[in-house]
Amino acid sequence: MIKQEILVLIIGAGPAGLATSACLNLKNIPNIVLEKEDCCASLWKKRAYDRLKLHLAKQYCQLPGMPFPPDAPTFMPKRGFIRYLDDYVSHHNVAPLYNRQVECASFDDGKWTVVARNMVLDRYEEYVAAFLVVASGENGEAFVPQIPGLDSFSGDVMHSSDYRNGKKYENRNVLVVGSGNSGMEIAFDLWDWGAQASIVARSPVHILTERMVQMGMALLKYVPLGIVDKILIMLSKLKFGDLCDYGIQRPDKGPFYLKMTTGRSPVIDVGTIDKIRSQEIKYIKSVDGHNVHFTDGSTETFDSIVFATGYKTTVAKWLKDDGALFSANGMPEKRAPEHWKGKNGLYCAGFSRSGLFGISNDARAIAQDINELILSHEM
């Protein structure tokens, strides 16, 4: 088994891993990034639908040490953001080792030992580090809920991570499960390609516009969160009215409060609400056995199902001796901003439930903390 020692080892080459490596590079702190896929930012490059764009304005999404180009649109589309990430890797000399599947990470004799399988050469490699940064993120693998009878469904079933566009669904009846941003946007995309789209959801959602979210983020610098939420809810009601008749319920708590405490983002409308109002996209009220009930009282069968039901972390599968940094569900025990640092040189980046804005804060904090520990040790 090949063995390599390094000061800092980072698991994951998504935006969190790239940003952490870049911040360490700026402080001349040696580090290695391990990535199981054959590219960086695989969630964006391999598991994102075509019409996806950043749901926050660009000033809240840029990574440390490199702003977006001045001519970049306020809400960066997928292709533009991928290009930005590739430029970021080159600019900050981040050099991930790809095709490394981490099997185990454990702490022993004052060091972290990580065993990874090189999937190209089909061999195991061992990495020993003083500091370990878990940057595999909140979106480790697709989550599909257990639904009785789903195995007997004769049509296509996929997770949103496998959906690119609705071209092949023209004139087909498609059920989208999940009414978050992905579900709403995929339903609109299906309609745009000539499919008959329907949405099923079990949880209340906040519906906002891009500008509402942008304004809310700006207000949070000066106004308490509770007041900002009240303003956004008022604006949402003025814009969209009462959506209860269409099966869409608002949560009891405010949109930013829910984002900060649960990680659930408000839905940014891309035109889906107008299509739901006009019944061009149907919003399902309830499911009873094999019958799907719509708000207009009808029932239907479907050709395809797309699960826009999110992701789950994979940390619990390989990380040992985490010192209670993570809970059983693979998310940090502590809420942001106290979530990123554990014991024995263990850190996590990209688990703040705050998107790219939180990733940047994590990366800076981790690099600064490691730098201070190194300097104190040298003294």
Side-chain angles (χ1 to χ4, degrees), residues 68-374:
F68 286 115
D71 59 347
T74 302
F75 295 91
M76 180 77 73
K78 170 186 168 180
R79 289 184 181 179
F81 187 58
I82 289 173
R83 187 163 52 249
Y84 167 81
L85 291 175
D86 286 338
D87 291 343
Y88 188 85
V89 167
S90 299
H91 181 75
H92 287 291
N93 298 312
V94 180
L97 300 181
Y98 297 117
N99 299 295
R100 264 66 172 194
Q101 175 71 55
V102 173
E103 303 286 340
C104 180
S106 58
F107 186 77
D108 188 43
D109 288 334
K111 292 288 184 71
W112 285 96
T113 299
V114 174
V115 177
R117 185 167 66 91
N118 185 321
M119 293 182 287
V120 173
L121 301 178
D122 193 24
R123 70 185 185 190
Y124 286 95
E125 300 169 348
E126 183 177 280
Y127 299 85
V128 179
F131 303 98
L132 178 65
V133 182
V134 178
S136 51
E138 304 168 13
N139 303 318
E141 62 183 16
F143 170 73
V144 176
Q146 296 291 326
I147 298 179
L150 183 61
D151 291 343
S152 64
F153 181 71
S154 60
D156 298 329
V157 178
M158 71 165 62
H159 187 267
S160 58
S161 58
D162 295 316
Y163 180 90
R164 296 297 170 266
N165 58 61
K167 183 177 182 179
K168 69 177 183 179
Y169 296 101
E170 184 178 2
N171 296 321
R172 299 181 70 182
N173 208 7
V174 185
L175 176 64
V176 180
V177 181
S179 61
N181 280 298
S182 294
M184 290 288 201
E185 290 182 10
I186 287 172
F188 184 83
D189 188 68
L190 286 164
W191 171 87
D192 210 23
W193 283 95
Q196 288 78 53
S198 303
I199 304 172
V200 63
R202 297 179 180 178
S203 302
V205 292
H206 283 289
I207 310 293
L208 304 176
T209 65
E210 289 179 342
R211 297 304 175 191
M212 289 178 195
V213 174
Q214 189 176 11
M215 183 194 72
M217 293 291 290
L219 284 175
L220 283 175
K221 296 178 181 178
Y222 313 102
V223 181
L225 182 145
I227 296 176
V228 174
D229 272 348
K230 288 180 180 178
I231 293 172
L232 292 178
I233 291 172
M234 178 190 68
L235 292 174
S236 178
K237 289 179 178 178
L238 289 172
K239 170 69 175 177
F240 299 109
D242 186 358
L243 298 172
C244 292
D245 290 343
Y246 304 96
I248 302 175
Q249 305 288 333
R250 283 191 179 90
D252 294 331
K253 302 295 184 180
F256 282 179
Y257 174 85
L258 288 175
K259 177 62 178 175
M260 292 183 65
T261 58
T262 70
R264 289 172 52 198
S265 298
V267 169
I268 300 176
D269 182 49
V270 295
T272 313
I273 298 302
D274 282 344
K275 301 306 173 187
I276 291 173
R277 279 201 180 105
S278 63
Q279 297 295 303
E280 293 173 86
I281 294 176
K282 293 185 176 182
Y283 199 92
I284 295 176
K285 184 178 181 180
S286 63
V287 178
D288 178 18
H290 296 290
N291 298 316
V292 178
H293 302 289
F294 295 88
T295 53
D296 64 0
S298 64
T299 60
E300 287 190 34
T301 57
F302 295 92
D303 302 308
S304 304
I305 300 176
V306 180
F307 283 93
T309 45
Y311 295 84
K312 57 184 178 180
T313 74
T314 59
V315 176
K317 293 183 177 181
W318 53 266
L319 179 62
K320 317 298 179 185
D321 310 317
D322 72 314
L325 177 61
F326 290 94
S327 61
N329 66 0
M331 294 296 291
E333 281 282 1
K334 296 181 180 179
R335 296 286 185 185
E338 308 297 331
H339 65 288
W340 56 272
K341 183 176 180 179
K343 300 176 182 178
N344 301 321
L346 178 64
Y347 301 88
C348 65
F351 290 86
S352 67
R353 299 181 173 93
S354 303
L356 292 162
F357 184 75
I359 282 173
S360 293
N361 289 337
D362 289 349
R364 292 190 188 96
I366 291 168
Q368 181 63 29
D369 193 71
I370 291 175
N371 188 57
E372 290 175 359
L373 289 171
I374 293 172

Side-chain angles (χ1 to χ4, degrees), residues 8 47 346:
V8 184
R47 294 185 282 163
L346 178 64

